[in-house]
């Protein structure tokens, strides 16, 4: 047998590169900032996805009042982590109410529990044994970003109160955030741009308009996922059936919580707001984006909490900053990615 020729250095390098599995890249460090509530709430459905993405390192879950009270966001996120066996991920208490916005009687008749710091009812199966961290969410966000400059992405899928408070607390904070991916707003000048809470305001921005304005004007690189794109993502029984056909702790929870609703009304659909923002971190080619100047109205009048976007600044919109705004979705590829990740077995808890 002929002796093998020694490989030159460049051949070795090429072989190493080709052999390196895609997953060998360092995972993206993310903070999961959320107005969490138990499934079928979209924040929980987003966490199921993110937990099974090896591309992401969830450094912590920071909670905020929004869909429900802060107490519910804390209790429910602790419980979901316990049920899915991911108790290594720390949960932090954030803002219990918006910076300025006072809830009115009108708000109490609409969606959300942000205006009332109500205690949490026990999640199904009882409160988690896992405890919330003693450090506040805002301290955690500031510390994590300052200790990892330019490396941390914040996935912000609730009102932006915690992020605005982090900016106020540490003036150097904004410059050190890698990127913000925000579910919020609705761009009325683009198709499908009406509001879902007031005629033109989207819920997360409406709950804390002042925080939304502070964050959008921060200069942090932002990808904005507004209602314009959420309206392309309609979760139906077809996809629910594919998820619950696989048995994992997460899919069992989805079945328990969504099964009765789909049995009663098989034609129902739910918009996948926050899931799109999370999928952006895994495959941004799923979304069409345009670069727009966007600002948020904080005048206490008919357009409180409305986001306005345009390709150029406009009179009165001088504070608007440029950001990437998602407008359209490759639904087929997105939903396949979503179902594939949610039905994966959760990776064993990484060492911290
Ligand atoms: O408007 C939709 C957004 O409001 C989603 O993030 C939903 O979870 C609520 O927070
Ligand atoms: Ca949310």
């Amino acid at each position: 047998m002929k002796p093998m020729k020694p490989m030159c250095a460049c051949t070795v390098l090429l072989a190493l590169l080709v052999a390196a599995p895609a997953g060998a890249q360092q995972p993206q460090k993310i903070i999961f900032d959320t107005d969490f509530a138990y499934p079928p709430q979209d924040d929980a459905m987003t966490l199921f996805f993110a937990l099974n993405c090896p591309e992401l390192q969830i450094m912590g879950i920071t909670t905020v009042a929004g869909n429900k009270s802060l107490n519910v966001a804390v209790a429910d996120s602790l419980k979901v982590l316990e049920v899915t066996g991911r108790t290594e991920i720390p949960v932090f208490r954030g803002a219990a109410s918006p910076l300025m916005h006072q809830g009115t009687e009108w708000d109490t008749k609409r969606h959300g529990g942000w205006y009332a710091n109500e205690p949490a009812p026990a999640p199904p199966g009882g409160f988690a044994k896992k405890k919330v961290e003693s450090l506040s969410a805002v301290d955690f966000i500031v510390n994590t970003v300052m200790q990892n400059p330019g490396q941390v992405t914040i996935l912000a899928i609730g009102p932006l109160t915690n992020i605005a408070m982090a900016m106020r607390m540490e003036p150097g904070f904004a410059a050190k955030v890698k990127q913000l991916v925000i579910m919020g707003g609705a761009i009325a000048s683009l198709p499908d741009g009406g509001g879902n809470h007031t005629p033109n305001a989207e819920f997360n921005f409406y709950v804390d308009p002042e925080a939304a304005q502070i964050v959008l004007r921060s200069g942090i690189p932002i990808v904005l996922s507004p209602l314009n794109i959420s309206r392309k993502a309609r979760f139906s029984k077809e996809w629910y059936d594919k998820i619950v056909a696989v048995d994992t702790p997460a899919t069992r929870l989805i079945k328990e919580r969504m099964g009765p609703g789909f049995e009663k009304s098989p034609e129902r659909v739910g918009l996948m707001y926050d899931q799109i923002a999370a999928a952006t971190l895994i495959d941004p080619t799923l979304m069409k984006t345009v670069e727009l100047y966007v600002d948020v109205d904080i005048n206490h009048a008919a357009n409180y909490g409305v986001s306005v976007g345009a390709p150029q600044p406009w009179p009165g919109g001088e504070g608007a900053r440029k950001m990437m705004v998602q407008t359209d979705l490759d639904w087929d590829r997105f939903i396949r990615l979503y179902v594939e990740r949610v039905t994966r077995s959760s990776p064993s808890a990484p060492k911290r």
Side-chain angles (χ1 to χ4, degrees), residues 61-300:
I61 295 179
T62 53
T63 51
V64 65
N67 281 313
K68 300 272 170 70
S69 71
L70 176 69
N71 293 325
V72 172
V74 172
D76 286 5
S77 50
L78 291 169
K79 186 68 183 185
V80 165
L81 289 176
E82 193 167 279
V83 172
T84 52
R86 297 300 300 272
T87 49
E88 86 283 1
I89 298 176
V91 174
F92 301 86
R93 282 180 71 82
S97 57
L99 297 183
M100 308 278 289
H101 194 174
Q102 303 280 340
T104 62
E105 197 191 327
W106 186 84
D107 293 306
T108 63
K109 295 193 176 128
R110 305 279 302 189
H111 174 78
W114 55 274
Y115 42 78
N117 192 22
E118 279 170 0
F127 287 106
K129 288 191 195 75
K130 177 176 169 60
K131 296 286 172 237
V132 70
E133 305 297 314
S134 51
L135 191 70
S136 77
V138 176
D139 282 325
F140 170 75
I141 292 170
V142 169
N143 294 350
T144 307
V145 166
M146 299 310 280
Q147 287 160 15
N148 299 275
Q151 293 177 51
V152 180
T153 293
I154 303 175
L155 177 65
I157 55 176
L160 291 168
T161 323
N162 290 336
I163 320 300
M165 286 170 73
M167 285 178 58
R168 288 294 187 254
M169 188 153 163
E170 169 52 63
F173 170 80
K176 298 217 162 37
V177 178
K178 179 177 177 195
Q179 183 186 218
L180 270 168
V181 180
I182 297 173
M183 190 287 129
I187 307 296
S189 56
L190 298 177
D192 296 321
N196 62 354
H197 201 68
T198 71
N200 285 331
E202 178 279 331
F203 179 78
N204 287 339
F205 281 12
Y206 170 81
V207 170
D208 199 338
E210 284 78 11
Q213 189 189 79
I214 290 169
V215 173
L216 262 55
R217 291 181 176 194
S218 63
I220 300 172
I222 292 177
V223 177
L224 189 66
S225 190
L227 291 180
N228 309 67
I229 186 167
S230 316
R231 291 186 166 117
K232 320 279 182 193
R234 298 161 65 82
F235 187 75
S236 64
K237 187 165 183 306
E238 179 190 353
W239 302 102
Y240 162 81
D241 285 343
K242 290 191 201 308
I243 288 176
V244 299
V246 182
D247 187 46
T248 72
T251 63
R252 249 171 271 151
L253 203 50
I254 293 172
K255 192 171 181 178
E256 265 169 47
R257 303 285 298 172
M258 293 182 117
F262 276 122
E263 255 164 51
K264 203 168 148 215
S265 334
E267 70 296 343
R268 67 167 52 196
V269 289
L271 294 185
M272 302 174 77
Y273 308 100
D274 298 343
Q275 294 93 323
I276 297 177
T280 306
L281 300 172
I282 307 304
D283 186 356
T285 70
L286 296 172
M287 298 87 189
K288 235 186 227 160
T289 53
V290 291
E291 201 173 41
L292 293 181
Y293 289 84
V294 183
D295 201 12
V296 179
D297 195 332
I298 59 166
N299 290 304
H300 289 248

Side-chain angles (χ1 to χ4, degrees), residues 49 232-236 238-240 242-243 270 272 275-276 279 286 329-343:
F49 172 84
K232 320 279 182 193
R234 298 161 65 82
F235 187 75
S236 64
E238 179 190 353
W239 302 102
Y240 162 81
K242 290 191 201 308
I243 288 176
M272 302 174 77
Q275 294 93 323
I276 297 177
L286 296 172
L329 179 71
D330 185 334
W331 163 251
D332 203 53
R333 284 174 54 224
F334 163 76
I335 190 63
R336 282 173 205 289
L337 172 74
Y338 180 77
V339 172
E340 187 271 315
R341 293 305 169 98
V342 170
T343 53

